[in-house]
Structures are given as C-alpha cells and as structure tokens.
Amino acid sequence: MGDAGGWVNIAMLSIQLLSSGSTIPRELLSNFYQNVSNFLPATYAVDGIMKLVTGGPSISHEIIMLFRILMGIIVITLILVALQWENKKEKSSNLTNI
C-alpha cells in the first residue's frame, strides 16, 4: 500500500489502543469503540494479561479469539498474495508476447 499503509497502520494502532481497555475502561467508551473492539486483537491481549495479573479466570477464550483473528489474517494475506502473484504473472506473460 506504500505510504498509505503507514497511515492505515497508525490509525489501526490508535483505534486498538483506545478500544482495548488498556488506557480507558471499555465501559466508558462509545458504542462504536465497544463494537470495534470485538474484532481487534489488542482487546483480547489486554483481557488475557489482566486475567493473568489479577489471577482471574482462564484465558482460554482470549487465546481462542486471538487464534481466530490470526487465522483470518493469514487467509486474507494468502488471498492478497495470490492476487498479486496472478497480476505479476499476467504482466510478465504480456511482456513476453510483445
């Protein structure tokens, strides 16, 4: 994504830090951030660390959710790489036909 990727990364990290509950309790956040936090890995990482630190219940739910997010990211990455590979393959075949 070039330079735009860096800006997207900064925005995503900021949203994750706000919505994870690490800086502000999630109960004080707007509904938007509370809903978005369910899809971001920082939420489950913070919840797991808090449970470990305070001696709370099992962190198996957080581990499962982080694993699901990881699998989703791997699938999306594989799709994007396959699309780029096909695009590159088409361009190289067009160059050899000229």
Side-chain angles (χ1 to χ4, degrees), residues 61-76:
H61 173 70
E62 285 74 18
I63 292 172
I64 291 169
M65 292 307 294
L66 286 170
F67 185 74
R68 286 181 180 175
I69 291 170
L70 176 65
M71 290 298 107
I73 290 170
I74 289 173
V75 167
I76 291 169

Side-chain angles (χ1 to χ4, degrees), residues 30-46:
S30 69
N31 286 335
F32 171 77
Y33 286 110
Q34 289 181 8
N35 292 330
V36 167
S37 72
N38 295 326
F39 301 101
L40 299 175
T43 301
Y44 301 104
V46 168

Side-chain angles (χ1 to χ4, degrees), residues 75-93:
V75 167
I76 291 169
T77 300
L78 290 174
I79 291 169
L80 291 175
V81 167
L83 290 173
Q84 286 181 343
W85 186 69
E86 283 294 321
N87 191 14
K88 188 175 183 179
K89 189 176 174 183
E90 285 179 15
K91 285 182 181 180
S92 65
S93 67

